[in-house]
Amino acid sequence: MDISGRHEEAGEYLMVAAAVAATIDSNRLRDVGGMGFSTSHGQPTLENTLSVSADAVSALPIVPPGPVVAERGEFYEEPAIGIDPAFESGFKYVESIAERRTVEVAHHAAYAARELLL
């Protein structure tokens, strides 16, 4: 998952979270089973970023069998153990090449969706 728009523009915030349900192996993305999106106009606090992220994961058409994966900066480098309770399927930070590529897909999706909403 990834969030776009955690910065203020013209006195407002528009965060767009994108979650990607994907099948991966250790080195590559094998299949994308769906995407979920969520938006927030709240300030990008840890609480708000967790909420918009959990909403995006909940909007996925299929329940991911594995943990939600994101880059460390998404949740202000908080320890993964503190982020984990926000997601039913668990949480971890990117560890493999395939996970990084999946987060890149989510990044492009979140950015594109945000641009469409502006």
Side-chain angles (χ1 to χ4, degrees):
M1 66 94 9
D2 189 79
I3 301 172
S4 181
R6 291 187 306 168
H7 51 278
E8 184 179 353
E9 287 185 20
E12 296 182 353
Y13 292 96
L14 174 58
M15 289 190 294
V16 177
V20 175
T23 304
I24 62 172
D25 60 27
S26 62
N27 292 319
R28 67 186 178 110
L29 179 69
R30 298 184 69 82
D31 178 59
V32 173
M35 292 185 182
F37 295 89
S38 181
T39 63
S40 172
H41 290 280
Q43 291 187 347
T45 62
L46 179 59
E47 181 179 310
N48 286 343
T49 56
L50 285 170
S51 177
V52 74
S53 298
D55 289 348
V57 171
S58 295
L60 286 168
I62 58 173
V63 177
V68 172
V69 179
E71 295 205 21
R72 290 194 172 275
E74 290 303 335
F75 302 112
Y76 310 102
E77 300 193 24
E78 288 289 322
I81 195 165
I83 305 302
D84 188 76
F87 302 102
E88 287 184 33
S89 59
F91 176 80
K92 70 177 199 167
Y93 287 116
V94 171
E95 295 175 352
S96 71
I97 293 168
E99 289 171 351
R100 180 159 309 283
R101 292 195 193 284
T102 305
V103 170
E104 288 172 1
V105 170
H107 170 78
H108 289 293
Y111 181 81
R114 186 172 183 279
E115 288 296 307
L116 288 170
L117 294 171
L118 290 177

